Amino acid sequence: LLRASLVQPSIHVPTIRARLDCLDVLLVNEQLRAGISHFLAKVPMNFNAVVGTFSLQRPGGIEGGGTAKSASDCSASVNRISMMLNAVLALREVLRLVPFLRMEVAPFTEEAAIFAHIHGLLEKHAQCFADLVASIDRVIDVGQIDGATAKGAGGAFQNRMDECYAVRTGMDRFLDLSRANLHELTLQMGALMDTYARNYRMRVKQRYNKRRGFYFEVPLRDDNGAPNRMPTEFLQIEPA
């Protein structure tokens, strides 16, 4: 928007005068400048992309159909879901800042028409914004996301788990069932890894990445530098 205004500035005289009046108010009022700067600093840099995420969704939703999907299709769906979740959280943060912005511009509505217009819009849709935040909080467990953010980056697996459990329990029965299966699967893999370590004295590590999913990793050499040999039970010859 700023680039468009610079490349092709307005020639509408009332618009230019309204902008100059707004600039005059900002120049003489340090508190207003600080308040608006504080608001803008909290708005995501990619907020245009956030808005585009909602406006460019396909009519069929995120998944867009019930046919069987390849691995690349599933990966793309996961990425779209992750992008949508981040967009919803960014939208929530902006909506929560609306009352602050409305309070900042309220004393200056008579000094600049732009501030009066902004205040009027925010006042008119205040309840709508509050309802949107409440709707998001009913579905998204923001505490889960905030707690994960406070702990810092936890790798691909932890990030995927945080996204998986971001939606509250009870919102979708299929999602609840999928998460229960995922929990059971992780427990079984942990038990299998312990069995390998105990029975075969193998240093097995459980790994995860977006391309492979879950997998086991066995170092090429043991602690003494000797080559690791796979147990003979792992090699089974089937009769022809």
Side-chain angles (χ1 to χ4, degrees), residues 2 32 45 56 70 76 78 88 92 104 140 167 222 232:
L2 177 60
L32 178 61
M45 295 293 293
L56 297 178
S70 65
V78 169
V88 170
R92 176 183 179 273
E104 287 294 325
I140 305 296
V167 177
D222 59 21
T232 56

Side-chain angles (χ1 to χ4, degrees), residues 106-145:
F108 306 95
T109 54
E110 297 182 0
E111 300 183 36
I114 290 181
F115 290 143
H117 181 66
I118 292 174
H119 183 269
L121 286 177
L122 298 181
E123 188 73 27
K124 178 181 179 180
H125 301 290
Q127 188 58 50
C128 178
F129 296 151
D131 291 342
L132 278 173
V133 173
S135 297
I136 293 173
D137 288 344
R138 280 195 298 269
V139 177
I140 305 296
D141 187 356
V142 181
Q144 168 83 13
I145 301 297

Side-chain angles (χ1 to χ4, degrees), residues 25 58 98 144:
V25 175
R58 294 176 300 174
V98 166
Q144 168 83 13

Side-chain angles (χ1 to χ4, degrees), residues 12-239:
H12 188 245
V13 175
T15 299
I16 296 174
R17 288 176 176 172
R19 291 175 177 176
L20 291 175
D21 291 342
C22 178
L23 183 60
D24 288 339
V25 175
L26 288 171
L27 288 175
V28 300
N29 194 294
E30 183 178 353
Q31 181 179 356
L32 178 61
R33 290 201 310 271
I36 293 179
S37 297
H38 179 71
F39 168 80
L40 294 176
K42 290 183 175 294
V43 175
M45 295 293 293
N46 63 335
F47 193 63
N48 285 343
V50 170
V51 175
T53 300
F54 297 111
S55 62
L56 297 178
Q57 281 299 309
R58 294 176 300 174
I62 293 178
E63 294 299 333
T67 57
K69 298 178 180 296
S70 65
S72 60
D73 291 334
C74 291
S75 178
S77 296
V78 169
N79 291 334
R80 285 196 297 271
I81 292 171
S82 177
M83 182 175 63
M84 177 60 74
L85 175 61
N86 291 328
V88 170
L89 293 175
L91 176 63
R92 176 183 179 273
E93 288 304 309
V94 173
L95 292 176
R96 291 177 68 236
L97 293 171
V98 166
F100 169 80
L101 180 61
R102 187 175 73 245
M103 180 181 64
E104 287 294 325
V105 302
F108 306 95
T109 54
E110 297 182 0
E111 300 183 36
I114 290 181
F115 290 143
H117 181 66
I118 292 174
H119 183 269
L121 286 177
L122 298 181
E123 188 73 27
K124 178 181 179 180
H125 301 290
Q127 188 58 50
C128 178
F129 296 151
D131 291 342
L132 278 173
V133 173
S135 297
I136 293 173
D137 288 344
R138 280 195 298 269
V139 177
I140 305 296
D141 187 356
V142 181
Q144 168 83 13
I145 301 297
D146 291 343
T149 302
K151 294 177 184 177
F157 171 71
Q158 188 59 52
N159 293 338
R160 188 64 70 208
M161 290 300 99
D162 294 336
E163 293 172 356
C164 178
Y165 287 91
V167 177
R168 295 183 184 277
T169 302
M171 293 294 106
D172 185 274
R173 288 184 295 176
F174 180 75
L175 176 61
D176 293 341
L177 178 61
S178 299
R179 290 196 292 213
N181 290 336
L182 174 62
H183 178 68
E184 184 66 26
L185 176 63
T186 54
L187 292 179
Q188 291 176 359
M189 288 192 301
L192 181 60
M193 186 172 62
D194 292 340
T195 299
Y196 288 163
R198 181 176 61 255
N199 295 348
Y200 305 110
R201 298 181 180 180
M202 297 172 59
R203 287 195 306 152
V204 183
K205 297 180 180 180
Q206 181 178 321
R207 302 293 191 187
Y208 173 88
N209 62 34
K210 292 182 180 180
R211 184 173 61 87
R212 292 183 178 179
F214 293 103
Y215 64 95
F216 287 156
E217 184 179 87
V218 180
L220 292 175
R221 298 183 178 276
D222 59 21
D223 295 334
N224 299 323
N228 264 327
R229 296 185 179 278
M230 301 297 288
T232 56
E233 288 87 346
F234 285 18
L235 304 176
Q236 297 181 5
I237 301 177
E238 297 184 358

